[in-house]
């Protein structure tokens, strides 16, 4: 498989698109800071519906965007052999992924770009760790697939089969706009039935761009700030690096951590008067090699060209912070973004 | 000292001095003779026309070790050189020194008054010197001196430019003066070691930082009421519990009821356990929007003092972390988010070997850039200026850029019109001019960023600092030197200005209060609370051991230099409090009690330094202490050094003197008035 790579200019965000290697094209430089006008952000709301799950959902009830499949044959066989008395169903976000799950044709995360799932079971766990006055929110652990375990056959002590699932699909727009399509559903892990709970959208505006085209979008949700981090569309090769760069880890308020492997991560920041909250990403930026090094790369058609190019890449840790805070004199939260290097650069050591 | 060692020290000093990046420019030779001062000058007013002399950069109402003015479109920097007891004038655009004015004392800060006079604090003289730029750009002429409380360290003006405020460190005071006549309006007492001062935009409150004590102070300028602002670490998990407890109190007291005692005591216990802060040397204000006071400081984990530790403090986590407290200027309440510790660094691909940016744990100056809303902080030890987001909920976690500067940066001035910062670095006696650029994030290999220009002051024939002292001072303030401490602490971390951090640390011997060094080492051996180290060298070795530093890695030359520096630390000048007839009588009475065998103080606190240099058991052992015998501490300068005892159990001298059980001396038979007299005497030691 050939990797098509395009190299960006020094000192800018790194991006790779299908084209022969070239060091001549420039992109917008990275900046260290931005202050965002809270009142000019698009307005929306991320609802958290009342949790009254049905006892079960018939298998015939389906919902687009929620595709459940059972265990692959090998896994089923293993369960029987080990007398596990347990079943597992998998929730994926495209029909093709569900159809090919567990087979050689399964393309995993890549096929389900920009759609993330979160399991509402996390919410109950988190409630014990937050203050009573904090409104409940969907957990910040996003993934492109979920699994549900159930007792086979069910027993009096079995956990409920119906789960509240939150889905977010990032839809890019033009001129720095985007939309988050939010669908909440009840999912029965045993019957694989799905029932709509709630549907809404959240309009977003891009407020900052970090390394590796990491985009920061924001929206106003009452006096709260909704932040969506979105990984770049064009990511470095090879694929294992691309998959890792799609992973986002964000340090959040109240000892929470946000994690995503599905291309974006949303979290909320609240800033009542005299208070503030921050979300902080620490990750690695890929920086292009110098023109002199590129000149030694050789024939772009060579089979080892892309790997050689990758090994010339420089890496540097960075930190991106998004803050919302209010002094008692501020009529609205002050929103700001900061970007800095975290250390020295180093070569690629994969 | 042998000639070859002197040569080595000299060589090392030169190498150490040449540490900045960018072009280095040395000042041209300037006259060493001070500009003549008008004898008998008593008038503080201007003599020269303001149209012919430099004009201060407008809007600067906070003192620093560097101040900027313009003359014929050239920018001049005025720097307070505490080594040379002088003010230098530097042409920032031409990159050379124009002149040097000798002073009668050590300058701590300077600031232009609204009419162009330069107010310079003389730290060791308890005076404000008022100077005026002379006919030539490099000239300064002294107009008058004004007395102020002991050890003036910082200046600020109110927004209407009518009042000049001065904090005094050892004098523990905030003084106010009429800015034009320089007559004193009031003086108000403060907690230990006040440093920076800044006034809220509405002119109602002065905020004061403290180098120790985990607090800031808010002083209402109308009635001089002082409100302490506690600056202790906020643990997010604890904060949730705190809010729930406060809710319970609110519900209980809603209809006039009383707060449940167990809830109140739980809140108090949480406050007591919260990790303290330290190194409050600087303050700045947010700009557009205003409303925030920014206080660079350090959060300190001093360990569980009820238990012994392997070193000094918590063995598992870094003890010191850079922080910027955000205080709401309207309410005086700090933002909880700004007092949270950074969680362990993580993220994909973060190589901890390269991702460890050295921490700014010795912040000394701060200023906000209105254009980028960045807070610039000068950091001793790492010799960098770090830019943070001044509007972030936790600015220390929203770093933006860093610039390396000359050694010992303790003052920053911003010139927004020319998009640059000018930094004074005392150890190198150099001015760094930083082009702030355009807020782009620079890739080092993508081409050099804007260069920093360095201007080094010309050598002074009367320069007092020897190479050994210079090297010792560098080592004392060195951050990230694994030979001193594994977690990168500096000596100055626990001994800011060579004094003490007022903290009690968990140690292998038990709880141990940091001891003040300046002026209290000579003649007070043996050292440490246990009194087991016969000399300073042995004490340093033990200290490096406990800090897990490979102290053996320090060359003997360096260890010698460190000892020379520590022994040279000047004590603060004695307080003039209590002077006057009534005060003198009280002190004399107290002296009599002190010497009296029935009271027994002089039994152990004997001699010129009030110590018999022996160990005694005064019944003060705690469960965590290995031994109940403690080295008699010298009482020299004791009045400025609370809390007291090896475990800091007594907050004030008064508490020590009335301690129950007469375990140390016998004061139970003394009346309240007699205790006051004894305290007055001890305060003069």
């Amino acid at each position: 498989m050939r990797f098509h790579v395009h190299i960006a200019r020094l000192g800018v965000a790194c991006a790779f698109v299908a084209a022969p290697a070239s060091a001549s094209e420039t992109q917008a430089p990275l900046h260290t800071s931005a202050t965002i006008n809270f009142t000019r952000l698009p307005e929306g709301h991320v609802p958290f519906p009342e949790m009254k799950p049905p006892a079960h959902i018939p298998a015939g009830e389906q919902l687009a965007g929620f595709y459940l499949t059972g265990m692959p044959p090998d896994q089923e066989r293993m369960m029987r052999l080990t007398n596990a008395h347990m079943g597992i169903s998998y929730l994926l976000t495209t029909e093709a992924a569900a159809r090919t799950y567990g087979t050689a044709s399964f393309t995993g995360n890549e096929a389900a770009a920009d759609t993330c799932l979160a399991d509402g079971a996390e919410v109950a766990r988190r409630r014990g760790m937050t203050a009573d006055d904090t409104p409940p929110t969907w957990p910040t652990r996003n993934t492109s697939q979920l699994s549900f375990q159930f007792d086979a056959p069910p027993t009096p002590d079995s956990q409920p089969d119906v789960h509240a699932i939150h889905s977010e699909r990032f839809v890019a727009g033009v001129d720095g706009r985007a939309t988050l399509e939010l669908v909440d559903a009840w999912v029965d892990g045993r019957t694989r039935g799905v029932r709509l709970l709630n549907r809404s959208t959240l309009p977003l505006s891009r407020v900052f761009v970090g390394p590796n085209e990491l985009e920061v979008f924001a929206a106003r949700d009452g006096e709260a700030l909704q932040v969506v981090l979105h990984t770049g569309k064009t990511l470095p090769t090879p694929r294992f690096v691309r998959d890792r760069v799609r992973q986002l880890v964000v340090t959040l308020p109240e000892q929470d951590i946000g994690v995503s492997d599905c291309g974006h991560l949303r979290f909320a920041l609240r800033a009542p008067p005299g208070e503030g909250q921050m979300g902080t990403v620490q990750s690695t930026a890929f920086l292009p090699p110098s023109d002199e090094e590129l000149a030694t790369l050789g024939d772009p058609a060579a089979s080892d060209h892309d790997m050689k190019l990758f090994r010339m890449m420089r890496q540097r840790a960075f930190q991106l912070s998004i803050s919302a805070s209010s002094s008692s004199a501020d009529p609205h939260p002050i929103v700001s973004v900061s970007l800095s290097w975290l250390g020295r650069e180093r070569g690629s050591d994969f | 000292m042998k000639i070859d060692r002197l040569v080595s020290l000299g060589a090392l000093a030169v190498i150490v001095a040449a540490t900045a990046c960018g072009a280095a420019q040395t000042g041209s030779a300037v006259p060493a003779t001070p500009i003549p001062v008008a004898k008998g000058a008593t008038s503080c007013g201007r003599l020269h026309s303001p149209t012919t002399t430099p004009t201060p950069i407008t809007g600067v109402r906070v003192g620093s070790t560097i101040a900027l003015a313009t003359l014929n479109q050239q920018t001049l920097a005025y720097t307070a050189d505490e080594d040379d007891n002088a003010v230098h004038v530097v042409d920032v655009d031409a990159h050379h020194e124009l002149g040097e004015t000798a002073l009668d004392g050590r300058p701590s800060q300077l600031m232009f008054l609204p009419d162009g006079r330069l107010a310079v604090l003389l730290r060791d003289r308890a005076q404000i010197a008022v100077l005026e730029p002379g006919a030539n750009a490099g000239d300064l002429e002294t107009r008058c001196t004004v007395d102020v409380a002991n050890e003036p360290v910082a200046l600020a003006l109110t927004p209407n430019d009518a009042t000049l405020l001065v904090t005094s460190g050892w004098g523990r005071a905030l003084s106010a003066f009429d800015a034009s006549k320089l007559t004193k309006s009031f003086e108000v007492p403060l907690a230990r070691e006040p440093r920076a001062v800044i006034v809220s935009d509405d002119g109602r409150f002065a905020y004061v930082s403290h180098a120790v004590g985990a607090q800031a102070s808010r002083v209402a300028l109308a009635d001089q009421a002082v409100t302490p602002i506690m600056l202790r670490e906020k643990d997010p998990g604890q904060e949730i519990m705190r809010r729930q407890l406060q809710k319970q109190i609110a519900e209980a007291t809603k209809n006039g009821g009383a707060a449940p005692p167990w809830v109140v005591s739980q809140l108090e216990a949480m406050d007591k356990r919260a990790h303290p802060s330290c190194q409050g040397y600087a303050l700045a204000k947010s700009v557009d929007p205003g409303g925030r006071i920014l206080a660079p400081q350090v959060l300190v984990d001093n360990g569980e003092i009820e238990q012994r530790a392997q070193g000094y403090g918590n063995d598992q986590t870094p003890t010191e972390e850079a922080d910027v407290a955000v205080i709401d200027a309207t309410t005086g309440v700090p933002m909880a988010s700004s007092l949270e510790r950074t969680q362990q660094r993580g993220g994909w691909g973060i190589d901890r070997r390269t991702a460890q940016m050295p921490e700014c744990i010795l912040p000394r100056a701060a200023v906000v850039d209105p254009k980028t809303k960045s807070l610039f902080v000068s950091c001793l030890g790492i010799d960098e200026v770090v830019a943070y987001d001044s509007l972030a909920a936790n600015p220390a976690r929203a770093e933006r850029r860093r610039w390396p500067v000359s050694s010992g940066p303790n003052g920053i001035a911003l010139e927004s019109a020319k998009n640059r910062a000018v930094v004074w670095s005392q150890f190198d006696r150099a001015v760094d001019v930083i082009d702030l650029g355009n807020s782009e994030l620079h890739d080092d290999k993508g081409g050099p960023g804007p260069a920093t220009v360095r201007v080094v002051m010309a050598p002074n024939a009367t320069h007092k600092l020897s190479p050994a002292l210079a090297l010792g001072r560098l080592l004392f303030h060195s951050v990230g030197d694994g030979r001193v401490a594994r977690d990168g602490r500096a000596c100055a971390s626990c001994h800011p200005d060579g004094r003490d951090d007022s903290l009690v640390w968990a140690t292998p011997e038990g709880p141990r209060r940091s001891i003040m060094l300046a002026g209290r080492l000579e003649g007070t051996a043996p050292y440490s609370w246990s009194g087991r180290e016969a000399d300073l060298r042995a004490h340093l070795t033990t200290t490096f051991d406990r800090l897990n530093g490979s102290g053996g890695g320090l060359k003997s030359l360096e260890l010698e230099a460190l000892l020379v520096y520590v022994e040279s630390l000047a004590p603060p000048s004695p307080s003039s409090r209590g002077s006057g007839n009534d005060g003198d009588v009280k002190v004399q009475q107290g002296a009599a009690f002190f010497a009296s065998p029935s009271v027994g103080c002089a039994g152990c606190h004997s001699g010129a330094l009030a110590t018999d240099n022996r160990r005694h058991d005064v019944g003060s052992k705690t469960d965590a202490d290995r031994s109940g015998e403690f080295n008699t501490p010298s009482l020299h300068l004791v009045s400025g050094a609370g809390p007291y005892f090896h475990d800091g159990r007594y907050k004030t001298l008064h508490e020590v003197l009335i301690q129950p059980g007469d375990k140390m001396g016998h004061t139970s038979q003394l009346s309240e008035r007699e205790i006051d007299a004894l305290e007055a005497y001890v305060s003069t030691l």
Side-chain angles (χ1 to χ4, degrees):
Chain A
M1 186 189 296
R2 290 178 68 89
F3 296 96
H4 297 280
V5 175
H6 171 74
I7 308 301
R9 187 77 174 142
L10 288 172
V12 301
C14 172
F16 300 88
V17 299
S22 164
S24 60
E25 194 169 317
T26 60
Q27 293 195 6
L30 296 171
H31 286 270
T32 59
S33 62
T35 306
I36 292 101
N37 189 327
F38 183 76
T39 59
R40 292 218 185 122
L41 291 171
E43 288 193 60
H45 180 57
V46 179
F48 189 81
E50 203 175 349
M51 294 289 164
K52 284 184 180 164
H56 72 277
I57 298 172
E61 279 195 52
Q62 300 293 306
L63 183 67
F66 292 77
Y67 303 97
L68 283 118
T69 184
M71 291 182 284
D74 285 347
Q75 191 180 22
E76 233 175 324
R77 192 160 46 245
M78 190 55 64
M79 289 291 188
R80 276 202 306 273
L81 286 173
T82 57
N83 282 328
H85 301 298
M86 186 170 65
I88 303 176
S89 57
Y90 297 92
L91 174 63
L92 296 109
T93 56
T94 66
E95 206 164 355
R99 200 169 47 244
T100 59
Y101 184 75
T103 70
S105 312
F106 180 59
T107 52
N109 295 342
E110 204 130 353
D114 286 343
T115 304
C116 295
L117 302 169
D119 190 340
E122 275 285 302
V123 177
R125 187 184 70 80
R126 285 287 307 164
R127 288 303 288 159
M129 295 168 62
T130 57
D132 293 339
D133 53 1
T134 307
T137 57
W138 291 104
T140 47
R141 278 159 178 76
N142 286 5
T143 181
S144 53
Q145 67 180 67
L146 289 171
S147 62
F148 308 105
Q149 224 170 281
F150 52 90
D151 295 329
T155 71
D157 297 327
S158 292
Q159 295 293 317
D161 292 332
V162 178
H163 304 259
I165 301 299
H166 175 72
S167 159
E168 292 182 355
R169 180 168 165 254
F170 182 90
V171 180
V174 294
D175 297 331
R177 299 277 174 179
T179 304
L180 214 54
E181 294 177 349
L182 311 168
V183 181
D184 303 325
W186 295 118
V187 172
D188 189 325
R190 186 184 300 275
T191 67
R192 300 183 209 157
V194 183
R195 180 178 297 167
L196 176 67
L197 177 56
N198 191 69
R199 198 190 291 274
S200 60
T201 58
L202 181 70
L204 300 168
S205 175
R206 187 173 61 214
V207 297
F208 196 79
V209 180
N212 298 342
E213 287 188 355
L214 178 62
E215 296 173 302
V216 182
F217 288 85
R220 187 178 167 177
D221 185 349
E223 284 301 294
L225 178 75
Q226 295 284 355
V227 179
V228 176
L229 299 175
H230 181 248
T231 55
K233 291 185 286 293
T234 49
L235 296 169
T237 55
R239 179 180 162 171
F240 70 93
V241 174
R242 192 162 63 240
D243 285 346
R244 296 296 292 275
V245 171
R246 277 169 65 85
Q247 288 180 5
L248 289 166
V249 179
V250 185
T251 305
L252 294 173
E254 296 185 343
Q255 299 178 313
D256 197 10
I257 300 277
V259 180
S260 169
D261 67 1
C262 41
H264 76 266
L265 177 67
R266 180 189 57 77
F267 56 91
L269 298 176
R270 288 179 174 76
E275 288 300 330
Q277 291 184 330
M278 284 176 68
T280 306
V281 180
Q282 292 177 346
S283 188
T284 300
F286 287 89
L287 302 171
S290 64
D291 284 344
E292 291 75 23
E293 286 171 311
L294 281 174
T296 67
L297 204 49
D299 180 8
S303 60
D304 64 347
H305 173 274
D306 294 318
M307 191 49 72
K308 275 168 64 177
L309 174 61
F310 179 75
R311 289 196 190 284
M312 285 182 184
M313 300 301 297
R314 297 170 291 127
Q315 296 179 49
R316 196 165 184 184
F318 70 87
Q319 173 169 290
L320 177 71
S321 302
I322 306 103
S323 165
S325 63
S326 295
S327 75
S328 52
D330 296 321
H332 298 288
I334 304 297
V335 179
S336 55
V337 183
S338 298
L339 174 68
S340 69
W341 296 124
L342 262 187
R344 300 185 303 276
E345 69 174 50
R346 59 190 176 105
S348 292
D349 53 7
F350 290 94
Chain B
M1 193 177 284
K2 290 186 182 173
I3 297 295
D4 53 350
R5 184 173 279 189
L6 274 172
V7 168
S8 300
L9 280 172
L12 265 170
V14 168
I15 290 165
V16 157
T19 54
C21 72
Q25 315 245 349
T26 53
S28 53
V30 292
T33 314
I35 304 291
V37 173
K39 285 213 184 293
T42 55
S43 166
C44 283
R46 288 202 66 146
L47 291 182
H48 299 292
S49 164
T51 57
T52 58
T53 53
T55 307
I57 301 276
T58 54
V60 178
R61 295 189 173 87
V62 179
S64 178
T65 56
I66 185 167
L68 300 180
T70 55
L71 181 68
N72 301 328
Q73 298 183 339
Q74 292 289 97
T75 303
L76 306 179
Y78 295 75
T79 67
D81 185 341
E82 65 174 28
D83 289 343
D84 282 354
N85 288 6
V87 174
H88 302 279
V89 184
V90 177
D91 186 325
V92 176
D93 296 296
H95 309 141
H96 70 89
E97 186 181 357
L98 295 175
E100 176 182 329
T101 302
L103 303 168
D104 282 339
R106 281 177 64 207
S108 50
Q109 272 199 3
L110 43 73
M111 183 177 71
F112 277 104
L113 299 175
D115 62 2
R117 291 175 296 164
L118 186 67
V120 183
L121 300 180
L122 301 182
R123 185 172 186 151
D124 54 345
R125 295 285 186 158
Q127 287 179 331
I128 309 169
V130 179
L131 288 77
E132 181 186 0
N136 298 317
D139 293 349
L140 283 168
E141 298 165 8
T142 300
R143 288 289 160 255
C144 68
T145 56
V146 176
D147 289 339
V148 69
N150 201 0
E151 198 188 34
V153 286
L155 292 154
L157 275 169
T158 52
N160 62 1
D161 291 337
T163 305
L164 177 69
L165 297 168
V166 178
T167 49
S168 292
W170 196 251
R172 300 192 189 190
L174 175 71
S175 309
F177 296 84
D178 180 295
S180 54
K181 297 179 209 149
L182 288 171
T183 49
K184 189 188 267 192
S185 311
F186 66 77
E187 182 180 305
V188 60
L190 295 173
R192 266 196 79 184
E193 304 288 0
R195 289 294 184 272
V197 57
I198 202 164
V199 183
S200 58
D201 290 338
D202 60 9
R204 291 173 59 210
F205 297 101
Y207 286 86
V208 178
S209 69
H210 293 263
V212 303
Q215 70 168 85
S217 296
R218 183 163 104 140
V219 182
L221 294 179
D223 60 5
Q224 295 98 57
V226 180
T227 307
I229 302 171
M230 300 317 295
L231 297 178
R232 289 183 167 257
E233 182 186 334
K234 301 282 188 187
D235 181 320
Q238 295 280 303
E239 285 308 295
I240 293 167
M241 194 186 309
R242 180 190 298 276
R243 286 209 293 271
Q244 289 167 346
L245 291 172
Q246 284 169 341
K247 212 181 199 178
Q248 289 185 36
I249 291 178
E251 277 170 17
T253 56
K254 199 163 47 178
N255 298 318
W262 70 269
V263 174
V264 172
S265 63
Q266 245 194 311
L267 276 171
E268 283 171 0
M270 284 173 69
D271 282 340
K272 203 174 160 189
R273 275 197 308 270
H275 292 141
S277 63
C278 197
Q279 306 283 342
Y281 277 80
L283 290 172
K285 285 192 295 192
S286 64
V287 177
D288 186 29
R292 301 169 195 222
I293 305 294
L294 304 162
Q297 56 172 15
V298 173
L299 294 175
V300 181
D301 184 350
N302 50 333
E304 301 288 336
I305 60 171
E306 297 86 14
Q307 298 170 15
R308 287 194 282 269
Q310 290 202 4
Y312 283 128
N314 192 324
D315 301 319
Q316 309 303 319
T317 58
T319 50
E320 311 241 330
E321 183 173 301
D323 181 64
V324 177
V326 180
I327 302 170
D328 190 313
T330 305
T331 62
V333 176
M335 262 187 212
S337 54
S338 70
L339 294 170
E340 289 177 9
R341 268 201 181 225
T342 305
Q343 292 186 24
Q344 188 70 17
R345 292 190 188 278
W348 174 65
I350 302 297
D351 181 341
R352 292 184 197 286
R353 292 165 299 169
T354 56
Q356 292 296 336
M357 300 296 272
E359 292 264 351
C360 182
I361 59 172
L362 296 177
R364 287 297 180 266
V367 68
V368 169
D369 175 20
K371 199 168 78 172
T372 60
K373 325 288 182 200
S374 292
L375 169 70
F376 292 86
V377 180
S378 74
C379 309
L380 282 188
I382 59 174
D383 297 329
E384 287 182 335
V385 168
V386 182
Y388 302 104
D389 179 359
S390 69
L391 299 176
N394 186 323
R397 281 166 47 196
E399 187 177 314
R400 289 176 168 174
R401 281 191 70 178
R402 291 184 175 222
W403 294 267
V405 292
S406 303
S407 183
N410 64 358
I412 313 177
L414 275 185
E415 192 177 7
S416 298
K418 294 181 182 173
N419 197 35
R420 61 188 176 188
V422 190
V423 180
W424 168 250
S425 295
Q426 180 63 62
F427 299 176
D428 275 345
R429 295 174 64 247
V431 167
D432 287 288
V433 185
I434 301 174
D435 183 335
L436 297 177
N438 54 8
S439 82
E440 278 186 27
L441 183 68
H442 283 279
D443 171 13
D444 294 342
K445 284 196 178 171
T452 293
V453 177
R454 183 185 187 208
V455 184
V456 180
M457 300 305 103
N460 188 320
T462 58
H463 191 68
K464 298 184 198 66
L465 207 64
S466 68
L469 274 178
L471 179 57
R473 181 168 64 179
L474 268 175
L475 290 166
F476 192 84
H477 292 89
S478 180
V479 170
D481 189 335
R483 301 171 303 170
V484 172
R486 184 176 56 128
D487 62 5
R489 277 181 273 181
C491 306
S493 296
C494 299
H495 299 284
D497 287 337
R499 296 177 189 176
D500 65 272
D501 57 12
S502 87
L503 295 176
V504 180
W505 291 83
T507 78
E509 298 294 316
R512 291 295 183 265
R513 164 89 163 72
S514 302
I515 294 177
M516 177 170 168
L517 302 178
R520 296 179 81 239
L521 295 176
E522 189 177 338
T524 60
Y527 297 103
S528 84
W529 283 103
S530 64
R532 291 204 181 89
E533 288 109 43
D535 57 38
L536 267 182
R537 187 179 286 266
H539 182 58
L540 271 183
T541 304
T542 305
T543 303
F544 292 147
D545 262 346
R546 287 187 184 164
L547 293 171
N548 270 314
S550 52
L554 280 173
K555 297 180 178 52
S556 63
L557 191 77
E558 292 168 312
L559 199 55
E560 192 64 42
L562 196 50
L563 288 167
V564 164
Y565 175 71
V566 165
E567 284 168 333
S568 78
L569 288 167
S573 302
S575 173
S576 59
R577 290 182 197 281
S579 60
N581 286 339
D582 289 344
D584 288 344
V585 167
K586 200 175 180 182
V587 166
Q588 284 166 15
Q589 285 174 346
F593 289 126
F594 189 90
S596 153
S598 64
V599 176
C601 304
C604 300
H605 293 288
S606 55
L609 295 169
T611 172
D612 61 0
N613 307 93
R614 288 183 180 165
R615 296 164 55 197
H616 300 280
D617 185 340
V618 293
S620 62
K621 184 180 182 300
T622 68
D623 290 340
D625 287 311
R626 283 194 192 279
S627 163
E629 287 195 343
F630 296 96
N631 186 18
T632 306
S634 164
L635 297 183
H636 182 43
L637 300 170
V638 71
S639 65
Y644 300 99
F645 264 44
H646 73 283
D647 58 352
R649 67 183 67 176
Y650 299 118
K651 298 289 171 268
T652 64
L653 262 182
H654 191 78
E655 284 181 31
V656 176
L657 296 176
I658 62 170
Q659 42 92 16
D662 278 346
K663 288 178 191 161
M664 186 190 67
H666 312 283
T667 56
S668 55
Q669 75 278 21
L670 298 178
S671 69
E672 194 61 39
R673 210 166 61 88
E674 289 166 339
I675 295 279
D676 276 349
L678 183 56
E679 183 181 348
Y681 168 69
V682 171
S683 299
T684 65
L685 293 176

